[in-house]
Amino acid sequence: MRTIKNKPEILAPAGTLEKLKVAINYGADAVYIGGEAYGLRSRAGNFSFDQMKQGVAYANAHHAKIYVAANIVAHEGDVAGAGAFFRKLRDIGISAVIVSDPSLIEIAITQAPGLPVHLSTQASTTNYAALNFWQQVGLERVVLAREVGIAEIKEMRRHTNVQLEAFIHGAMCIGYSGRCVLSNHLSLRDANRGGCAQNCRWKYDLFEMPHPGVKQSQLKNGEAFSMSAVDLAMIQHIPDLVEAGVNSFKIEGRMKSIHYVSTVANVYRQAVDSYCADPDHYVLKPEWVDELWKVAQREMSTGFYYGTPTADDELFGKRRKRPHYSFVGEVLGYDEQRHLAIIQQRNNFGVGDQIEFYGPHFTHSQQKVTRLWDRDNDILYRAPDAMMICKVPVTHPVKAGDMIRKQRV
């Protein structure tokens, strides 16, 4: 039986220490985070050095890795203190730093020797000559441009042995490899220095103004124009990615919830493990695809992997498919004697709601909430208060760390 020896890494996002632990618990081999400087997600829950230490300790205990994104496009003065920052990452035990700006790459290599450097997708690497150049500079991995197709990745792999990382799931930026200037000009927030206002997600219209104060839309179908791309989902094409030689499967979403991180990491863990264990008899399971739709914010497509995206890969008109679940809580413990789940609430739920428990290794169970108590055993009908502790009788055993969704009516 043929197996895949070099199993691709599942690389998940984490905007907080909680999300980091959830990602690892739900199957991620590695997690990428941001520090308090040099990153492109200023609004994400970026990590202090102390939080990084805690994250590295947790990752080490679970045989996982932590990467730090320091991928800004640096202006004058932006690189001050970068050498000390990178040395601190190295000494904490960070597995690699993800960089796009050549000045920061040089600083990381020369002033923090021993800290592996990965090239960010922001650098728009689209050919093997560029890959070999970056390898000669001293980088061990390149995050490919999102505009690269499967056929191009295969050609790259034939001509280079540098590690290849590619996005497989999550939001896609309308700017080439994420290098956008819309936010700079429309919101005075530099997207390439961590301040993206996501102007591409706004609705736009085209107007004629025949008279002062008179505004007439020129869009005949009445649908406002958008530059908003659908999301990427490569769950149906895991064999192509593996056989093309991608070393790391990257999931987008450092600002997403633990519901998203746990679900997406869980699904791709199952798919990658299944394919690598027996590629000749691999079967895509419909429940994997269905699971991803439970956390989808937009429609999904394969991006540039199989050709140039069309209008179908943009968000126009009514959504073609909507998620039908909302995240309502996390299991803190399980009372085996009374068959009770102790839950930390994250969204309003109560008696009569249809809920679903899910956990690592793709465990699932569904039931209706028949009774509900607070932590003091007082009867409840709803659990409306954020982060409150409550108890629910369950029909199947659950474990601490399992998540709970509520089916929308």
Side-chain angles (χ1 to χ4, degrees):
M1 182 178 69
R2 184 169 72 98
T3 60
I4 303 297
K5 294 181 180 180
N6 298 316
K7 183 187 295 187
E9 168 188 87
I10 301 295
L11 175 56
T16 64
L17 187 59
E18 178 190 33
K19 294 174 188 176
L20 181 152
K21 293 178 179 179
V22 166
I24 292 172
N25 292 345
Y26 277 77
D29 300 297
V31 176
Y32 64 100
I33 65 175
E36 294 180 331
Y38 313 109
L40 281 181
R41 289 291 181 271
S42 60
R43 290 180 294 161
N46 293 315
F47 284 60
S48 66
F49 289 134
D50 182 62
Q51 290 171 324
M52 288 184 190
K53 290 179 182 178
Q54 296 178 59
V56 168
Y58 193 84
N60 289 343
H62 293 80
H63 309 289
K65 297 179 179 180
I66 306 295
Y67 309 138
V68 172
N71 52 349
I72 63 166
V73 175
H75 288 236
E76 293 299 336
D78 285 347
V79 302
F85 178 78
F86 291 139
R87 287 192 295 274
K88 186 69 173 179
L89 299 186
R90 178 198 61 192
D91 296 343
I92 286 173
I94 295 297
S95 297
V97 62
I98 307 168
V99 189
S100 65
D101 192 283
S103 65
L104 289 171
I105 291 171
E106 181 180 34
I107 291 170
I109 291 173
T110 60
Q111 298 187 33
L115 175 65
V117 180
H118 296 174
L119 187 69
S120 170
T121 190
Q122 254 43 52
S124 301
T125 306
T126 56
N127 62 81
Y128 67 79
L131 289 167
N132 288 330
F133 167 81
W134 289 114
Q135 188 176 34
Q136 292 168 12
V137 168
L139 277 60
E140 68 174 32
R141 179 185 293 185
V142 172
V143 187
L144 297 174
R146 300 195 194 196
E147 296 74 23
V148 170
I150 288 289
E152 293 175 298
I153 296 175
K154 290 180 179 178
E155 186 69 8
M156 292 176 185
R157 177 47 72 216
R158 282 194 288 267
H159 292 88
T160 185
N161 61 4
V162 70
Q163 294 179 25
L164 304 180
E165 181 175 306
F167 281 92
I168 61 162
H169 196 93
M172 293 191 288
C173 180
I174 202 69
Y176 199 94
S177 291
R179 298 202 309 269
C180 177
V181 295
L182 280 176
S183 184
N184 304 54
H185 291 286
L186 297 179
S187 305
L188 299 180
R189 289 168 51 176
D190 193 338
N192 300 301
R193 298 164 82 187
C196 180
Q198 295 196 353
N199 306 74
C200 60
R201 303 295 186 191
W202 299 358
K203 292 291 186 180
Y204 295 87
D205 207 335
L206 179 65
F207 298 99
E208 182 181 4
M209 301 182 69
H211 308 290
V214 177
K215 189 167 62 173
Q216 298 175 347
S217 173
Q218 299 301 293
L219 298 181
K220 296 180 181 179
N221 63 4
E223 169 63 23
F225 172 71
S226 167
M227 290 171 280
S228 187
V230 301
D231 288 355
L232 177 68
M234 287 294 286
I235 186 60
Q236 298 183 12
H237 305 280
I238 295 301
D240 285 355
L241 291 164
V242 175
E243 299 300 335
V246 178
N247 302 101
S248 179
F249 289 0
K250 190 168 194 172
I251 300 165
E252 180 276 338
R254 280 199 287 134
M255 297 177 69
K256 301 284 181 65
S257 68
I258 61 172
H259 182 209
Y260 170 90
V261 171
S262 59
T263 299
V264 178
N266 212 2
V267 168
Y268 282 99
R269 176 80 279 152
Q270 299 304 305
V272 169
D273 286 353
S274 179
Y275 181 75
C276 291
D278 189 2
D280 296 326
H281 298 92
Y282 172 79
V283 176
L284 172 71
K285 295 184 178 181
E287 54 263 38
W288 296 340
V289 179
D290 292 342
E291 189 79 357
L292 292 177
W293 277 111
K294 293 175 183 178
V295 293
Q297 294 182 321
R298 308 174 186 93
E299 297 92 279
M300 296 185 283
S301 79
T302 56
F304 287 83
Y305 279 111
Y306 299 99
T308 303
T310 68
D312 289 336
D313 301 297
E314 298 277 333
L315 292 176
F316 292 101
K318 294 181 179 180
R319 291 189 176 187
R320 295 183 285 276
K321 190 167 185 177
R322 291 179 179 272
H324 299 289
Y325 289 79
S326 57
F327 180 50
V328 298
E330 179 181 3
V331 176
L332 300 181
Y334 174 58
D335 185 335
E336 293 186 22
Q337 299 293 326
R338 301 168 62 196
H339 304 290
L340 288 179
I342 295 87
I343 295 169
Q344 184 177 63
Q345 183 262 35
R346 298 300 179 101
N347 278 297
N348 190 315
F349 78 102
V351 174
D353 288 339
Q354 185 73 23
I355 60 173
E356 176 185 31
F357 291 88
Y358 71 94
H361 311 293
F362 216 67
T363 60
H364 289 78
S365 63
Q366 296 185 10
Q367 67 170 75
K368 182 174 286 189
V369 178
T370 56
R371 288 172 291 170
L372 186 64
W373 300 272
D374 67 13
R375 67 191 311 164
D376 297 320
N377 295 318
D378 292 328
I379 295 175
L380 296 173
Y381 293 97
R382 306 295 303 172
D385 301 327
M387 307 298 282
M388 69 182 295
I389 307 301
C390 51
K391 303 172 185 178
V392 174
V394 292
T395 57
H396 297 81
V398 294
K399 295 180 180 179
D402 286 356
M403 305 293 176
I404 312 160
R405 304 184 180 106
K406 179 176 71 175
Q407 188 171 359
R408 296 178 186 175
V409 179

